[in-house]
Amino acid sequence: MHSDPTAAVSATFAANRAVGVVTFDVQSRDGVTRRGALHEAGSLRVRFPSPEQQGLSAVFVNTAGGVAGGDRFDISIAAGPRSRLTVTTAAAEKVYRSQGSGRDSEAQLNITLRAEDGAHLAWLPQETILFDRARIARRIDIDLAETASLLLCEIVVFGRAAMGERMMQGCFTDRWRLRRGGKLLFAETIRLDGDVGAKLARPAVADGGVAIGTALIVPGDEALVERIREASAQFGGEVGISAWNGFALARFCAQDAARLRADMMTVLGRASPSALPRLWLQ
């Protein structure tokens, strides 16, 4: 009986898929935020670099060195009452070319964030870079108490323009859900599939931009929107911001990642008095 070489390749590919899980919570004790229970598995790790006077910082590290098709990463974070937590990543996350074209060839990233009464949670990872033929599906679920606050940003870069690289083919699916006090306030799903480069070139999509970003700010109102718009002369790319349902949403699009990152830093600096993670400033 002859072995099936295609099946052998598929089995080898499946055996080398990376899996990472991190679940942890933080609690406020006597006005100081401290780490609670922590569970880590696979190639995903989280580190708490230094003690702080009130809040706590967490840094995610992917020891797999990047994300490939079929990998799966699950993150669950809970901020207890009156705690303060800022989360970032040690470096930009790179999503490499997938060997397949179906659902099983997509990398899966599932993020669950919860903040209880009076807690402040800042989810500020560095950018995600998609290589040509990358395939990834990301899901972000956020559950806030009525008095909790949130500062969240995500930057996606379609190829490394400085290296002459662009993502032309592939798949990117991004599903966000925000609940506050148990009520759904914001729901959005974005999907770019197939000829991604051509779609990004369309004026109604990105008009040739290769970097996009979103910042979600809770609470957010028109006063915050106006404060951010005062900095519009500093923006190097396209930035739009609006507020409704008690939160603010900023959209970013730029011709390169560095320009978008600078715009995001300007918006985040005006949205929150808290300092950005030091890793953002290096």
Side-chain angles (χ1 to χ4, degrees):
M1 181 181 294
H2 296 287
S3 62
D4 184 351
T6 302
V9 171
S10 298
T12 301
F13 176 66
N16 285 278
R17 289 173 174 170
V19 176
V21 177
V22 170
T23 301
F24 73 91
D25 68 275
V26 297
Q27 302 293 331
S28 178
R29 302 187 182 97
D30 298 323
V32 179
T33 300
R34 291 289 180 260
R35 192 189 76 191
L38 168 64
H39 169 72
E40 298 175 324
S43 62
L44 199 58
R45 296 288 185 269
V46 63
R47 295 295 177 260
F48 302 87
S50 61
E52 300 174 12
Q53 291 184 348
Q54 293 182 332
L56 188 65
S57 293
V59 180
F60 275 92
V61 179
N62 179 11
T63 61
V67 178
D71 291 354
R72 179 178 176 121
F73 298 94
D74 295 286
I75 295 170
S76 181
I77 300 172
R82 298 175 299 283
S83 62
R84 298 185 63 84
L85 175 67
T86 298
V87 183
T88 189
T89 55
E93 190 64 271
K94 299 178 179 64
V95 183
Y96 296 109
R97 174 177 178 168
S98 173
Q99 296 296 321
S101 59
R103 287 291 300 275
D104 61 347
S105 68
E106 292 181 350
Q108 302 284 331
L109 178 57
N110 301 306
I111 301 164
T112 301
L113 306 174
R114 189 173 78 251
E116 298 182 32
D117 287 325
H120 175 71
L121 177 57
W123 173 264
L124 307 174
Q126 300 192 63
E127 53 265 42
T128 299
I129 302 172
L130 307 184
F131 284 66
D132 191 30
R133 298 190 182 277
R135 300 182 65 84
I136 183 169
R138 181 172 65 185
R139 175 171 178 160
I140 303 177
D141 289 292
I142 309 155
D143 190 357
L144 304 179
E146 288 283 3
T147 58
S149 59
L150 173 76
L151 185 63
L152 181 149
C153 81
E154 284 285 355
I155 298 172
V156 179
V157 184
F158 297 92
R160 298 180 298 183
M163 305 291 289
E165 302 169 353
R166 296 198 66 161
M167 181 185 181
M168 303 306 297
Q169 297 283 333
C171 182
F172 171 63
T173 305
D174 206 17
R175 179 188 183 278
W176 292 31
R177 299 292 186 270
L178 167 66
R179 288 177 171 80
R180 191 180 190 192
K183 297 179 180 179
L184 182 64
L185 294 188
F186 177 69
E188 176 177 87
T189 300
I190 296 173
R191 183 176 177 87
L192 288 169
D193 196 0
D195 195 346
V196 174
K199 292 174 181 177
L200 291 173
R202 296 175 184 171
V205 180
D207 198 20
V210 297
I212 62 173
T214 302
L216 188 58
I217 307 159
V218 185
D221 55 20
E222 289 299 329
L224 171 62
V225 170
E226 290 305 315
R227 188 161 69 247
I228 293 174
R229 285 175 178 166
E230 289 173 358
S232 59
Q234 303 176 34
F235 295 146
E238 298 290 333
V239 181
I241 181 168
S242 56
W244 73 100
N245 280 353
F247 68 91
L249 188 73
R251 303 284 198 187
F252 303 79
C253 183
Q255 298 297 319
D256 61 76
R259 192 175 303 175
L260 192 147
R261 184 184 176 101
D263 290 346
M264 182 71 80
M265 291 174 68
T266 298
V267 169
L268 295 179
R270 288 187 169 245
S272 173
S274 301
L276 286 166
R278 283 175 295 188
L279 288 168
W280 272 67
L281 307 176
Q282 294 178 353

